Amino acid sequence: MIPSKKTIYEFLTEYAQLSPDEAVLFNEEISYSAKELKFTVENLANTLFGQGIKAGDFVAIPAERNIYTVIKFFAVQILGAVAVMIDVHENPLKALEKNKVEVKLILTDVPKRYARQEELLFSPIRDSSKSTIVIFTSGSTGTNKAVLISQYAFINNSYDTRDIGDYRRHDISMAVLPFHHVFALAQIITALVTQHSIFIPSGTETEAFLSAIEKYRVTRMNGVPSLYLSMVKIAEKYDIASLRCGLIGGAPLSVKEFCEIEARLGMNLIPVYGMSECIGISCADYRDPVQRRANSVGKIYSMNKLKIVDDDGRELSPGVSGEIHVKSPAFMNGYLDETEDVTDGDGFFATGDLGYLDEEGYLHINGRKKDIIIRNGNNLSTAIIEGKIKSLPFVIDAAVVGIHDEAVGELPAAAIVTAEGTEIDEIFVKLREVLSKQEMPARIVRLKEIPLTSSGKADKQKIKTMFIKKCV
């Protein structure tokens, strides 16, 4: 497949021409047709241009999960300005100061709705390869970074996902993920590229999402494992037969949990693997058998190249685990205020993730390189330890971190969520049955729930800090 050089504005224009009166962006109270969306985006861009915003200027958008954020985002994109997506749980000024980002405008005004087109005061961006988006990495295992991304990266990720992701012309895709996250923006842009509707529920609770699926006949969604698992618990109360499929990513999931989600929600799960730096790396094909989808993150996207390397940079054979390196049109333009090239001489990026390719080309993730605990010279994968702990029937969730120890270097420490009534002595006995002596946590804490980042990953930094404070 040859990468596309089309822009968001070209896709928006095509959609408005093909289906001008089709509802393409809506919530419980308001609906925008393709024509109205284009006019509103254009006129907001005119307003911004009149305020002195031009191509290359940085515009901060507090990324509330609503239709107005989508309109603001598209308006900034067609101007060629840079949309800095801010987590709504952070004060925009403090977030920008913390990440050393200078913006010309913080865009908070709600755009007016337009039913007619006004003359454009500016020339829409034509070069999709320029940086027009800033996403902050989650920082779940370290400090976050400001990532510069282009429309080119998002659009070509959408092209690569289009067929294997089971996208259909009249899909209704429900957007429930935080809009400052790459997974959510990919969902919005893919809907524009593949021409289907986006529904954004106003509620934030699982019940609200399930009720919306029933009422608006939602056909697909993107989500993290914790979201889907929360839906499973109460799904029987709702008629969600319209829900056909969903992309899932952002955190590990056991085969048992994967199969339970599919069975209880009556949907087809499509695992994806990507990151802020590279939007899409691999994706399962919706036609793959469930055991294939449950056991891997699919095959490499058609426009990507991938290799597994050891610590000395040597490429490894199928079945051998090492660090995942990727080269992709969905790759970032770089980190803000960092001029050094982060790829090797051949354009490959070291993801920091560990995994292997099997003989059939399916990618398997073992965990983060930073999540490796070195105990007495032995490398221990926190992801593998977590998987073993979660295999115990009384364990609901678990997260493992490494804590410093002067004698052996690092020791595993586990935060565990257990079923009510589980005795602490039982936990230790059962853990010794599934974990090796080296893997056995030196410290264990029971929590009501594992703390998560806004992108749905276990917040390892917060968990590690919790253990450190308990030791002081």
Side-chain angles (χ1 to χ4, degrees):
M1 187 184 298
I2 300 174
S4 170
K5 294 183 179 180
K6 291 171 68 173
T7 65
I8 283 176
Y9 185 60
E10 288 177 281
F11 284 105
L12 186 61
T13 300
E14 287 177 7
Y15 205 164
Q17 291 172 345
L18 177 69
S19 306
D21 299 318
E22 181 177 318
V24 299
L25 181 66
F26 67 103
N27 61 18
E28 295 90 346
E29 297 180 354
I30 189 169
S31 175
Y32 283 77
S33 69
K35 178 176 62 179
E36 289 171 332
L37 178 61
K38 178 176 180 287
F39 294 167
T40 302
V41 167
E42 288 175 333
N43 288 298
L44 176 58
N46 269 345
T47 299
L48 294 174
F49 184 77
Q51 294 173 352
I53 302 299
K54 59 184 184 303
D57 288 341
F58 283 68
V59 177
I61 301 177
E64 298 175 279
R65 188 178 53 77
N66 59 40
I67 58 177
Y68 302 114
T69 297
V70 176
I71 293 169
K72 294 172 190 176
F73 174 76
F74 283 160
V76 172
Q77 292 307 295
I78 70 172
L79 268 176
V82 183
V84 182
M85 308 305 287
I86 304 294
D87 184 346
V88 293
H89 295 103
E90 292 194 72
N91 178 293
L93 290 174
K94 288 184 178 179
L96 293 167
E97 181 181 356
K98 178 181 70 176
N99 293 286
K100 299 178 181 178
V101 180
E102 294 184 8
V103 302
K104 194 166 184 180
L105 174 71
I106 298 178
L107 184 54
T108 56
D109 292 338
V110 175
K112 296 179 181 179
R113 187 176 182 178
Y114 289 85
R116 62 185 181 84
Q117 186 174 21
E118 294 181 356
E119 182 181 355
L120 293 184
L121 304 176
F122 61 94
S123 296
I125 184 175
R126 296 179 181 274
D127 185 356
S128 64
S129 68
K130 290 185 178 295
S131 300
T132 54
I133 302 153
V134 169
I135 293 285
F136 298 106
T137 59
S138 64
S140 58
T141 59
T143 56
N144 58 357
K145 291 185 175 184
V147 180
L148 290 164
I149 313 177
S150 65
Q151 296 178 25
Y152 178 89
F154 273 102
I155 287 165
N156 283 295
N157 174 72
S158 298
Y159 268 115
D160 243 350
T161 314
R162 182 171 50 183
D163 294 332
I164 58 177
D166 194 20
Y167 289 95
R168 302 182 187 179
R169 176 66 182 82
H170 294 291
D171 267 332
I172 298 176
S173 184
M174 184 172 70
V176 297
L177 295 171
F179 279 9
H180 66 279
H181 190 259
V182 68
F183 199 8
L185 288 183
Q187 181 183 11
I188 299 297
I189 293 172
T190 300
L192 188 64
V193 171
T194 59
Q195 297 187 344
H196 64 263
S197 301
I198 286 286
F199 166 69
I200 306 176
S202 57
T204 59
E205 302 298 327
T206 305
E207 292 87 346
F209 298 154
L210 289 164
S211 177
I213 294 171
E214 177 178 7
K215 183 174 182 179
Y216 298 99
R217 313 313 298 161
V218 169
T219 61
R220 64 180 307 124
M221 61 184 288
N222 288 7
V224 294
S226 57
L227 170 60
Y228 285 112
L229 289 170
S230 69
M231 291 169 64
V232 162
K233 295 176 182 178
I234 56 173
E236 61 185 18
K237 300 178 183 178
Y238 301 88
D239 175 8
I240 56 171
S242 62
L243 188 61
R244 186 183 76 255
C245 65
L247 269 58
I248 183 169
L253 186 69
S254 71
V255 174
K256 179 183 176 182
E257 289 171 326
F258 189 99
C259 295
E260 182 181 17
I261 291 169
E262 286 209 338
R264 296 284 293 276
L265 300 185
M267 67 185 300
N268 201 19
L269 283 182
I270 304 170
V272 290
Y273 164 54
M275 55 185 56
S276 300
E277 291 89 345
C278 189
I279 300 162
I281 297 173
S282 69
C283 179
D285 190 313
Y286 75 96
R287 292 158 292 206
D288 285 338
V290 62
Q291 284 302 318
R292 267 298 180 195
R293 287 182 285 107
N295 278 290
S296 74
V297 289
K299 292 185 176 181
I300 311 311
Y301 280 120
S302 67
M303 289 189 274
N304 290 355
K305 293 182 179 180
L306 183 141
K307 58 185 179 181
I308 308 295
V309 304
D310 63 16
D311 290 339
D312 296 320
R314 292 173 299 209
E315 190 166 354
L316 299 170
S317 303
V320 182
S321 183
E323 186 176 10
I324 300 167
H325 288 212
V326 65
K327 183 177 182 180
S328 169
F331 187 61
M332 67 175 177
N333 285 358
Y335 295 114
L336 188 65
D337 292 336
E338 292 187 22
T339 57
E340 184 179 348
D341 188 1
V342 295
T343 62
D344 64 18
D346 296 323
F348 281 86
F349 173 70
T351 64
D353 289 326
L354 302 174
Y356 67 93
L357 288 166
D358 65 26
E359 294 289 347
E360 295 184 50
Y362 289 87
L363 181 62
H364 303 257
I365 308 296
N366 290 338
R368 289 286 294 169
K369 196 172 183 179
K370 288 183 179 178
D371 275 350
I372 292 296
I373 298 169
I374 303 177
R375 180 177 188 173
N376 276 330
N378 297 301
N379 288 356
L380 306 175
S381 166
T382 60
I384 291 175
I385 299 173
E386 287 165 357
K388 290 180 179 180
I389 294 174
K390 287 193 277 189
S391 71
L392 296 171
F394 58 82
V395 175
I396 298 171
D397 202 358
V400 175
V401 297
I403 54 175
H404 177 70
D405 181 81
E406 290 187 4
V408 299
E410 286 183 298
L411 292 168
I416 302 176
V417 181
T418 64
E420 190 174 344
T422 306
E423 298 293 335
I424 191 70
D425 290 343
E426 181 185 4
I427 295 174
F428 278 98
V429 169
K430 294 299 182 181
L431 285 180
R432 292 190 181 97
E433 293 178 3
V434 296
L435 298 176
S436 69
K437 185 177 179 180
Q438 292 286 347
E439 293 171 330
M440 190 66 189
R443 297 190 184 91
I444 295 174
V445 62
R446 281 200 290 186
L447 301 177
K448 291 184 178 180
E449 59 183 17
I450 298 297
L452 302 176
T453 66
S454 59
S455 57
K457 298 177 183 178
D459 194 331
K460 295 292 184 79
Q461 285 295 100
K462 184 176 287 186
I463 294 168
K464 186 173 288 192
T465 300
M466 176 185 64
F467 279 110
I468 292 171
K469 286 182 177 179
K470 283 183 177 290
C471 294
V472 174

